[in-house]
Amino acid sequence: MATIGLDKLYYATITEDQDGEETYGTPVQLAKAISADLSVELNEATLYADDGQAEAVKEFKSGTLSLGIDDIGSEAAAALVGAVVDTNGVLVSGGEDASKYVAIGFRAKKANGKYRYYWLYRVLFGVPATNLATKGDSITFSTPTIEGTIFRRNKTDGNNKHPWKAEVNETGSNTAIIDAWYNSVYEPVFETEIPTGGGE
């Protein structure tokens, strides 16, 4: 179903252990969302045998997330791109600043009034682009855009895979999941199948 809205844009900081596996901080609102453009790049390979295509593989390589937002506060800028706030409360960006990996969550409203919820597990943003213009006869809003690269996370899920995105449509049966969506970054759940055993 088509979406007609976008809001509740959050980020969660990432801490990595010695193996690079992620632990997520408590989600914090990033900004008011204006737009989100997500594109995906795939690794593709085709095996030809006996004068024809025998096998084809398409795997997630990386993605790009471009966010239009109303503003980016000092805390979010520090968390995303490594800028620092000095003792006077001024945000200072340095040439040596290094962006930090974060998880990004948001939701999109659908035409039926329900929402589709997202978590992107590992995103690395660049310095926000700023567009400024002098005031003329009409009012034009200038808002920042931040662009990030989406990666799969290092930590495997219960299916022994490296997820890069979690997505769910709001329904009457998943209220508990939706209510907790921004309390923490969603962790995939896979029930292990218990062997019935036996044989003749």
Side-chain angles (χ1 to χ4, degrees):
M1 181 175 290
T3 58
I4 58 173
L6 173 71
D7 68 350
K8 296 202 76 169
L9 178 60
Y10 279 67
Y11 73 92
T13 57
I14 292 177
T15 304
E16 297 182 15
D17 65 15
Q18 66 271 14
D19 297 320
E21 293 194 351
E22 300 88 350
T23 300
Y24 298 101
T26 302
V28 178
Q29 187 160 16
L30 171 56
K32 291 183 178 179
I34 297 172
S35 64
D37 296 318
L38 192 155
S39 59
V40 173
E41 186 177 350
L42 300 174
N43 281 324
E44 300 183 45
T46 304
L47 173 67
Y48 291 92
D50 286 342
D51 294 332
Q53 179 179 320
E55 292 185 40
V57 176
K58 293 188 178 186
E59 293 181 344
F60 175 81
K61 179 180 179 182
S62 65
T64 301
L65 177 67
S66 182
L67 292 174
I69 55 178
D70 69 329
D71 193 13
I72 183 167
S74 298
E75 289 184 16
L80 270 58
V81 298
V84 294
V85 180
D86 73 5
T87 53
N88 294 318
V90 176
L91 181 68
V92 180
S93 298
E96 297 79 14
D97 293 347
S99 297
K100 302 172 185 177
Y101 290 101
V102 294
I104 295 292
F106 53 92
R107 69 179 187 174
K109 190 173 186 178
K110 301 188 297 181
N112 65 359
K114 300 286 187 180
Y115 288 88
R116 182 178 300 141
Y117 289 78
Y118 297 85
W119 272 112
L120 303 175
Y121 284 113
R122 191 175 175 89
V123 183
L124 190 66
F125 285 100
V127 176
T130 304
N131 302 303
L132 304 173
T134 190
K135 183 179 177 182
D137 292 336
S138 61
I139 297 174
T140 302
F141 289 103
S142 297
T143 56
T145 301
I146 55 175
E147 187 168 296
T149 302
I150 305 163
F151 299 92
R152 69 178 200 172
R153 74 178 188 179
N154 297 323
K155 182 181 178 182
T156 56
D157 59 21
N159 224 9
N160 205 30
K161 294 185 177 179
H162 299 269
W164 65 274
K165 177 179 74 166
E167 176 182 344
V168 65
N169 286 310
E170 180 183 7
T171 65
S173 61
N174 61 7
T175 304
I177 293 171
I178 297 303
D179 288 346
W181 195 254
Y182 293 104
N183 294 343
S184 60
V185 176
Y186 179 78
E187 285 290 343
V189 177
F190 296 97
E191 292 186 14
T192 54
E193 194 171 296
I194 302 172
T196 53
E200 295 184 30

